[in-house]
Amino acid sequence: MVFTRDQVVDRLREQITAQRPIVGAGAGTGLSAKFIERGGADLIIVYNSGRFRMAGHSSMCGLLPLGDANAIVLEMGEREVLPVVSKTPVVAGVNGVDPTRDMGRLLNSVAAAGFSGVNNFPTVGLFDGRIRKELEASGLGFQREVEMIRTAHQLGLFTIVYVFTPDEAAAMTEAGADVVIAHMGLTVGGSVGMSTVGAFSLDDSCQRVDAIAASAHGVRDDAIVVCHGGPIAEPADAEYVMKRTRAVGFVGASSMERLPVEQALIDVTAAFKATAVA
């Protein structure tokens, strides 16, 4: 089912009014999407990284030249996720930096496929250092993602965006983003997740999330801010951050489908191996 921007935003604000957290979940397969919906997610997001994640690889594969990110998302949506989701808005992760696409035409294709909104993924926000400087210098920087979101907003699509700094939060909010996701980096844990070495602590994340929220609210006081990634990997982690910041929800990908599947498969396989044969 396709939802209008206003319908999606109204549904999210109902959750806020009822003091329930907004929950968005990445779905790398139709099976994930089907049962994420049954679990009550408010949003389902299709990322190109989901294909790699559910194939046993790091989500960071989604940032590498391992296929056409936008084509992968359209295929995943049309053939796997959208056919099994009936009552939850589905969002497409769009590579807004892609110079080989006319963004207006691509976004119209996303809407025609049945997506209710877009997110900026893959995102250059996950790059820093020399490669980030060179992407920015060559016209392939974060501002192109901002302009993609501006175009999507003008087309009436719901927009939910990853940001990494207060300045990015302000730019995306000004462009019309409906929900700002304070991104804390690759999710910690599991077989292909971020090591705790070098990751933010939960308390560091609280400070960063609140700085991003303050910036977004400085542009538009009704901006919706949620959190994602880094050490925020379990429900208790999300609750810890939400109780200490202005974040009103959580978006998860690895934490919603990869980590639970990894442990469930280990446990059930071990249980079968522990059965008696006589």
Side-chain angles (χ1 to χ4, degrees):
M1 178 178 178
V2 180
F3 295 82
T4 67
R5 172 187 173 271
D6 287 344
Q7 286 173 328
V8 179
V9 172
D10 287 348
R11 285 163 63 107
L12 299 183
R13 294 205 181 280
E14 286 173 8
Q15 297 302 305
I16 296 170
T17 299
Q19 297 187 312
R20 291 190 294 263
I22 292 168
V23 174
T29 67
L31 186 68
S32 295
K34 180 184 289 188
F35 291 98
I36 284 168
E37 179 171 62
R38 291 191 190 181
D42 300 295
L43 300 167
I44 293 173
I45 308 177
V46 180
Y47 307 102
N48 74 315
S49 59
R51 172 157 290 175
F52 299 105
R53 179 167 51 247
M54 299 310 287
H57 308 299
S58 169
S59 298
M60 296 302 285
C61 290
L63 300 176
L64 299 175
L66 302 177
D68 181 339
N70 289 318
I72 288 170
V73 164
L74 283 168
E75 181 191 4
M76 289 172 66
E78 289 181 304
R79 296 183 62 84
E80 298 180 47
V81 174
L82 290 163
V84 299
V85 173
S86 60
K87 60 183 180 181
T88 307
V90 180
V91 173
V94 171
N95 181 2
V97 178
D98 185 350
T100 70
R101 301 272 191 169
D102 177 284
M103 274 300 130
R105 186 173 299 171
L106 174 63
L107 292 170
N108 279 318
S109 296
V110 166
F115 290 97
S116 298
V118 298
N119 164 256
N120 59 317
F121 191 90
T123 172
V124 299
L126 281 166
F127 290 104
D128 57 14
R130 178 175 174 178
I131 190 169
R132 178 65 180 272
K133 289 180 181 178
E134 295 192 1
L135 285 168
E136 296 287 348
S138 59
L140 298 172
F142 194 81
Q143 187 59 34
R144 287 183 76 120
E145 297 179 26
V146 174
E147 294 309 316
M148 181 272 287
I149 293 299
R150 190 186 309 278
T151 301
H153 178 73
Q154 291 168 350
L155 291 172
L157 287 162
F158 168 75
T159 54
I160 178 169
V161 299
Y162 282 131
V163 303
F164 302 81
T165 69
D167 286 347
E168 291 172 358
M172 281 293 199
T173 306
E174 187 278 328
D178 298 302
V179 180
V180 171
I181 311 169
H183 198 307
M184 297 296 110
L186 184 66
T187 301
V188 167
S191 63
V192 291
M194 176 76 172
S195 165
T196 55
V197 177
F200 302 137
S201 70
L202 274 176
D203 287 328
D204 288 339
S205 294
C206 289
Q207 293 180 8
R208 290 172 179 270
V209 169
D210 230 23
I212 285 170
S215 183
H217 291 156
V219 175
R220 199 175 69 241
D221 59 12
D222 66 345
I224 299 171
V225 178
V226 299
C227 57
H228 167 85
I232 315 170
E234 303 285 344
D237 303 328
E239 183 175 51
Y240 184 93
V241 173
M242 287 187 289
K243 283 184 173 180
R244 290 163 176 79
T245 70
R246 281 166 278 190
V248 294
F250 170 76
V251 169
S254 292
S255 54
M256 297 293 284
E257 63 171 355
R258 176 177 63 80
L259 293 176
V261 167
E262 286 183 3
Q263 194 58 52
L265 291 176
I266 291 169
D267 291 347
V268 74
T269 305
F272 274 111
K273 286 297 292 180
T275 57
V277 295

